[in-house]
Amino acid sequence: MERHGTEEEWREDCAPRRVLELFATKWTSMVLHTLKARHGGSARTGVLQRSLPGISKKMLTQTLRDMEASGLVTRHVAGTVPPAVAYHLTPLGERFVEPVEMLYGWGRANADALDALKSRPTSRR
């Protein structure tokens, strides 16, 4: 059996593991996609929540905080009453949208393969 790669290539801080860790929750990729595809890279919190059926306000807030801490989005607060909070993709966030869009495109083109998957216990995410 041919062996591909070395153990060094699969260490905990290797690029493939870091990418997968970033997208460990479904909401990170969905927020990136929604910001880019539906809102041109910028949206207010309420608009984002309405664009993401199934996400709770708490989960959206946590996801956006994590994304802000990672440098994928920036948070802008307008001095209105009540304050209008908007999130914008950063240049780094724009780079991470590309693989998300590729994956989502593959999913749309291969819906039959997704339908053929056997059901499994509900994930925690």
Side-chain angles (χ1 to χ4, degrees), residues 27 45 49 54-66 87:
W27 296 116
T45 310
Q49 186 168 10
I55 194 169
S56 68
K57 185 174 183 177
K58 179 181 177 184
M59 181 55 71
L60 178 59
T61 299
Q62 185 59 55
T63 300
L64 288 167
R65 283 181 184 156
D66 291 347
Y87 289 87

Side-chain angles (χ1 to χ4, degrees), residues 89-101:
L89 286 174
T90 63
L92 183 62
E94 292 276 355
R95 289 178 67 186
F96 277 95
V97 166
E98 184 180 347
V100 169
E101 294 304 308

Side-chain angles (χ1 to χ4, degrees), residues 9-69:
E9 290 173 347
W10 292 106
R11 64 187 192 275
E12 289 186 31
D13 63 344
C14 70
R17 286 188 181 197
R18 291 169 58 203
V19 167
L20 292 176
E21 183 178 310
L22 180 65
F23 297 113
T25 67
K26 66 180 176 184
W27 296 116
T28 300
S29 66
M30 293 179 82
V31 169
L32 284 170
H33 168 76
T34 300
L35 272 171
K36 180 67 175 181
R38 296 188 66 188
H39 304 295
S42 177
R44 289 177 56 177
T45 310
V47 170
L48 268 177
Q49 186 168 10
R50 287 188 295 277
S51 299
L52 293 163
I55 194 169
S56 68
K57 185 174 183 177
K58 179 181 177 184
M59 181 55 71
L60 178 59
T61 299
Q62 185 59 55
T63 300
L64 288 167
R65 283 181 184 156
D66 291 347
M67 292 173 70
E68 184 181 12

